[in-house]
Amino acid sequence: MSADGAATDVPEARPTDGDNMLLASATSPLQVISVTGAAGLTAPTATDIRGEMLLSGPILPTLLRLTLPNLIALCSAAVVSIAETVYVGSLGVASLGGIALAFPIFMLMQMLSAGAMGGTVSGAVSRALGAGDRDRAQALALCSFVIAAIFGIVFTAAVLAFGPAVYRALGGAGAVLAQALAFSNVAAWAIVGIWLTNTLASIARGSGNMVIPAATLLAAGFGQVIVGGVLGLGLGPFPRLGMAGVAAGQLVAFSLAGVFLLRHLRSGDVRLRLRFARGLLSIERFMDILRIGAVAMLSPLLSVAAILVLTGLVARFGPQALAGYGIGVRLEFLLIPIAFSVGVASVPMVGTAIGAANLDRARKIAWTAGGVAATALGLLGLVAGSFPWLWVDLFTSVPDVRDTAYAYLRIAAFGFAFFGLGLCLYFASQGAGRVGGAIVAQALRLAVIVIGGAILVERPAPISAVFILSAAAMITMGLGTALFVRLSRWG
């Protein structure tokens, strides 16, 4: 068998009657591949084995095997973020303020391209491969690539045109605004690379390959720190470019990562080769991606809105309370990669099962993945709520700040398991091509926060009430997503 799945001629190997019986017993294209290999016609390749693993491998071991590379890459991203914050801090307080203004926009680019649209792409590709329709999978891959390029260009233009107004609206002025623009005006050119890198990684994940995308993103993260640090601080013979140099780290890292993944997917050693052929482009395939992706993109927007409302409610209690809340939420942000890793791993498994019309397996995968994420985040929440000083005391010794962070973790930790369940089932829903219910559940989370916050503003309550509201919103999201997945018609 060739790398792109076309059968090769093997004149000396003719099937026997026993071989024909084996072939007749196969129930899927992937099983035919494995059977023919066993019969001596064509040995199965590593990519064929990966496809068979997605289709019929044991659910929990396969899920964990696919999760591990993603978890390593995403946890390293947190380390990269911390390292970048350290050397930006050495540039001065204005630089820290500037990157705080610009960071949400570029974080949103990652969430939209890797989580929302990326999960959509992986789900669509895996469903096509699960159905044995390689031509459709290649068409979806190419259309996804084109969509990513267009979105990257549009968002680059938007950041360059409207970035200054957005940063002023967020309170940026003077030196802080100047530093934000110095970073943003260079980092904007990295947006195309970010979209293409995450989309190409999602195409590879859709075929069951988690290692190459994870390794590429890991290398890109460390490359970003090295290049940004050298150019930002002016190390060695290089000039000190400040915030522009820090942003150049993103530009270089994601541009190179995108080129590498493109060359990888264009090579012969992949389960799904990215082909550039005009005949693969069609309105129908573009709509297959955009119809689900447009809805999925509401997820990060709803999440950001929920965080902003909660932050505004806490800010009413003063800067020390806000600082304590920020320390607690920082741990919450570090827990997200765990649920994200399990969820992303479930996408091709669910999609492949849906494509092969094995709906029972698809649902078992979704519930298994949701259970793994809920258990992991629930256990970490139990530790954080029982021993909050293990985390909080790493960042502050100020009594008021510390006490607020303790209170937040002791209360909000009750919602961590439900948050993990909801986020993971959202990704599983992308694999099934049914994200509407998961988005409604996330909208319910925001509604709980907004309505509850309005009540708390009208009737003054202690800050612990805000933290209870946060936990209640996470519980609502988790249970709501589970309910919608249970009621949704897959297939």
Side-chain angles (χ1 to χ4, degrees), residues 310-335:
L310 281 172
T311 301
L313 291 173
V314 173
R316 297 169 53 250
F317 293 89
Q320 291 185 322
L322 188 59
Y325 169 73
I327 291 172
V329 169
R330 191 175 302 171
L331 175 62
E332 186 180 317
F333 287 160
L334 292 180
L335 296 180

Side-chain angles (χ1 to χ4, degrees), residues 54-103:
L54 291 177
L55 186 68
S56 58
I59 291 175
L60 183 58
T62 302
L63 180 69
L64 296 178
R65 179 179 176 181
L66 296 177
T67 295
L68 183 59
N70 296 320
L71 184 60
I72 293 173
L74 288 169
C75 287
S76 70
V79 175
V80 168
S81 177
I82 293 171
E84 191 173 66
T85 301
V86 169
Y87 65 67
V88 167
S90 69
L91 295 175
V93 175
S95 295
L96 277 175
I99 204 167
L101 285 177
F103 179 77

Side-chain angles (χ1 to χ4, degrees), residues 102-381:
F103 179 77
I105 288 179
F106 294 93
M107 187 63 191
L108 185 61
M109 291 299 103
Q110 292 282 1
M111 295 169 71
L112 291 172
S113 60
M117 191 60 73
T120 298
V121 170
S122 291
V125 167
S126 62
R127 288 192 297 275
L129 290 175
D133 192 342
R134 185 175 297 275
D135 289 339
R136 181 181 179 187
Q138 289 181 326
L140 289 167
L142 181 58
C143 290
S144 299
F145 180 84
V146 173
I147 290 171
I150 293 172
F151 276 24
I153 293 170
V154 169
F155 280 118
T156 295
V159 170
L160 290 173
F162 303 111
V166 171
Y167 303 142
R168 289 190 185 95
L170 292 174
V176 171
L177 177 60
Q179 292 299 305
L181 292 175
F183 177 88
S184 180
N185 288 340
V186 175
W189 297 101
I191 292 176
V192 173
I194 290 172
W195 270 90
L196 290 177
T197 295
N198 286 325
T199 298
L200 292 168
S202 297
I203 293 171
R205 291 190 188 109
S207 69
N209 188 342
M210 300 288 170
V211 175
I212 294 297
T216 303
L217 293 174
L218 180 63
F222 286 116
Q224 177 181 335
V225 169
I226 294 171
V227 174
V230 168
L231 296 180
L233 302 178
L235 302 180
F238 296 94
R240 184 183 177 94
L241 300 179
M243 293 294 282
V246 174
Q250 277 196 18
L251 176 59
V252 172
F254 281 98
S255 296
L256 293 178
V259 170
F260 173 80
L261 286 174
L262 179 60
R263 292 189 63 181
H264 170 71
L265 289 174
R266 293 277 293 161
S267 71
D269 191 25
V270 290
R271 184 175 173 220
L272 180 69
R273 185 171 181 267
L274 180 61
R275 291 173 50 215
F276 290 131
R278 184 177 300 177
L280 294 175
L281 298 175
S282 70
I283 296 298
E284 182 183 2
R285 297 298 169 241
F286 278 113
M287 293 308 300
D288 283 344
I289 299 296
L290 293 174
R291 184 174 60 252
I292 300 172
V295 177
M297 288 173 70
L298 293 174
S299 175
L301 298 175
L302 290 169
S303 296
V304 170
I307 292 168
L308 290 175
V309 175
L310 281 172
T311 301
L313 291 173
V314 173
R316 297 169 53 250
F317 293 89
Q320 291 185 322
L322 188 59
Y325 169 73
I327 291 172
V329 169
R330 191 175 302 171
L331 175 62
E332 186 180 317
F333 287 160
L334 292 180
L335 296 180
I336 291 177
I338 299 174
F340 188 96
S341 299
V342 179
V344 167
S346 74
V347 172
M349 293 182 67
V350 171
T352 300
I354 292 288
N358 192 342
L359 303 188
D360 287 342
R361 177 176 171 84
R363 288 193 175 276
K364 287 179 182 178
I365 293 167
W367 293 119
T368 300
V372 169
T375 300
L377 266 66
L379 289 175
L380 291 171

